[in-house]
Amino acid sequence: MGIEEELTQVDIALQTNRYFQNENINQENAILFIMKETFDPIIFVLRRAWTLGKCDREAVDRAFGTGGSPARASKILGDATRHPSGSLMWVKRVGVVPKHGAACPAEASIDLILEKIARGEPPQSTGIFDDDGVGIVRPKIRALSTLSEAATRVVVEGALRDEPIQILYVGLKKDETAKWRTVWPCTLEYTGKGFRLHAHDLNDPEAQYPVKLFLLSRILDAQKLDVKATKKSLDQKFVRRGHIGADVSVHVSLNQLLTPDQEKVVRHELGINASGKVRIPRHLLYEFRKENEGLKSSALQVWPLLSSVVVGE
């Protein structure tokens, strides 16, 4: 694989599953093997050295399991000092450190590292262990999957194999109950809070099989379908879409109660440019407005989800 293989959690899970099918490889070794195969140790050294000030053999051993092969660990550290950026050097009894006066290479940008940490990428990619320094606390994410592991597998495999499936889904419209829907996945999206499926609604031919969003946490069950039979049942108007859609540019006005310093950080946080515009994926526009503009939900939906919150045991 290349130096910077950008893997999502689904990609890693798929690779992990491939290795788990080998009975001679246990889970811990399988994950370690995948990490060694996927992530470039030189980039690990580069990022760690520029973020923590050094990268030693102990860190390389911990990340890539080279404890039993000191020659390989030494080669990784040595190769890192010959990175094209020319920004690293070896210091005896310390490890690999940034050269004085050298510019930090783009691969070790702190913004990039934070982005990778936010995406949940492992130390082999970020160069940072969760217990480095004061440590990194990650939020406890709930309901990443459906209500059953078997249903989750059907949904994920359907998305990765580009095959139609059936899902037992319930939305949040008033008085709505779960019903079976025949869908053809377009994209499996991780939002930072959970996964959701972008899929053609094959039960709505009159609207030309529109792409709709389905939260995995609201899928009660899922079933595989006969792919050939499903294709034959579709009319010629059906056109597969392979992407969730383009961004839209929207003009925003900041709350007048914000101080100048608050305005500055809010513009940075929301990505507002000098013209007062921000680009947002079209399918996230409603959520953006709801979160930042106080947009109320439709009267047809059950909202808010909670009637009260009491802190206690």
Side-chain angles (χ1 to χ4, degrees):
M1 293 191 179
I3 287 180
E4 270 299 278
E5 187 70 22
E6 299 292 346
L7 291 182
T8 64
Q9 293 182 0
V10 174
D11 295 323
I12 294 174
L14 183 62
Q15 291 192 49
T16 304
N17 181 63
R18 176 161 56 90
Y19 285 102
F20 286 172
Q21 292 175 358
N22 185 336
E23 296 179 356
N24 297 321
I25 302 178
N26 62 35
Q27 178 170 337
E28 182 178 356
N29 289 339
I31 292 175
L32 181 60
F33 186 83
I34 292 166
M35 295 310 177
K36 289 192 293 184
E37 179 188 71
T38 302
F39 300 106
D40 189 335
I42 295 175
I43 299 300
F44 167 85
V45 175
L46 184 75
R47 288 177 178 152
R48 187 168 183 81
W50 271 99
T51 305
L52 277 78
K54 71 170 185 176
C55 180
D56 55 22
R57 182 173 296 171
E58 182 181 352
V60 173
D61 290 344
R62 182 179 177 185
F64 298 98
T66 54
S69 179
R72 182 169 181 269
S74 295
K75 184 178 187 305
I76 290 173
L77 292 168
D79 287 347
T81 64
R82 293 184 286 276
H83 183 266
S85 67
S87 65
L88 299 177
M89 61 181 289
W90 169 260
V91 175
K92 190 175 182 180
R93 288 191 291 273
V94 176
V96 173
V97 303
K99 286 183 180 178
H100 180 70
C104 179
E107 298 99 321
S109 159
I110 195 64
D111 286 344
L112 176 62
I113 291 173
L114 285 177
E115 180 182 331
K116 289 178 174 295
I117 291 173
R119 288 207 303 253
E121 295 191 23
Q124 289 81 358
S125 171
T126 65
I128 308 297
F129 296 107
D130 283 354
D131 56 2
D132 281 327
V134 297
I136 297 174
V137 178
R138 301 177 189 274
K140 294 181 179 180
I141 302 173
R142 298 181 179 179
L144 282 175
S145 57
T146 70
L147 268 66
S148 76
E149 183 178 350
T152 302
R153 179 172 292 278
V154 171
V155 173
V156 174
E157 288 183 354
L160 296 176
R161 299 176 184 179
D162 191 16
E163 296 177 347
I165 57 174
Q166 273 193 323
I167 58 174
L168 182 61
Y169 189 82
V170 60
L172 291 180
K173 292 182 179 178
K174 290 183 178 179
D175 301 321
E176 183 173 346
T177 58
K179 65 178 180 180
W180 285 99
R181 305 191 189 197
T182 304
V183 301
W184 198 314
C186 299
T187 302
L188 189 61
E189 178 190 19
Y190 179 62
T191 65
K193 296 180 180 179
F195 283 99
R196 57 187 180 186
L197 183 70
H198 297 244
H200 287 280
D201 184 352
L202 300 187
N203 297 123
D204 194 0
E206 294 182 359
Q208 298 184 352
Y209 309 104
V211 175
K212 298 180 180 179
L213 295 178
F214 303 94
L215 276 66
L216 263 65
S217 58
R218 296 178 188 167
I219 296 176
L220 284 73
D221 199 0
Q223 296 178 352
K224 295 182 178 181
L225 290 175
D226 184 312
V227 179
K228 291 184 178 179
T230 303
K231 286 182 177 179
K232 287 182 179 180
S233 68
L234 300 174
D235 60 36
Q236 295 181 349
K237 295 180 181 179
F238 178 64
V239 178
R240 292 280 289 112
R241 301 180 199 172
H243 194 268
I244 57 179
D247 291 354
V248 292
S249 178
V250 295
H251 188 276
V252 298
S253 298
L254 294 176
N255 191 315
Q256 295 181 351
L257 296 178
L258 292 173
T259 66
D261 287 339
Q262 290 172 333
E263 285 190 11
K264 185 182 298 184
V265 296
V266 169
R267 287 181 182 278
H268 173 68
E269 181 180 332
L270 300 183
I272 303 172
N273 64 22
S275 301
K277 294 183 178 180
V278 58
R279 295 194 64 81
I280 305 168
R282 183 178 294 277
H283 69 282
L284 296 180
L285 181 57
Y286 175 80
E287 294 174 33
F288 178 84
R289 294 189 63 190
K290 184 177 177 181
E291 180 178 349
N292 298 292
E293 192 184 18
L295 182 68
K296 294 182 179 180
S297 297
S298 166
L300 299 177
Q301 286 190 317
V302 178
W303 194 266
L305 299 180
L306 304 177
S307 59
S308 68
V309 176
V310 179
V311 179
E313 293 292 335

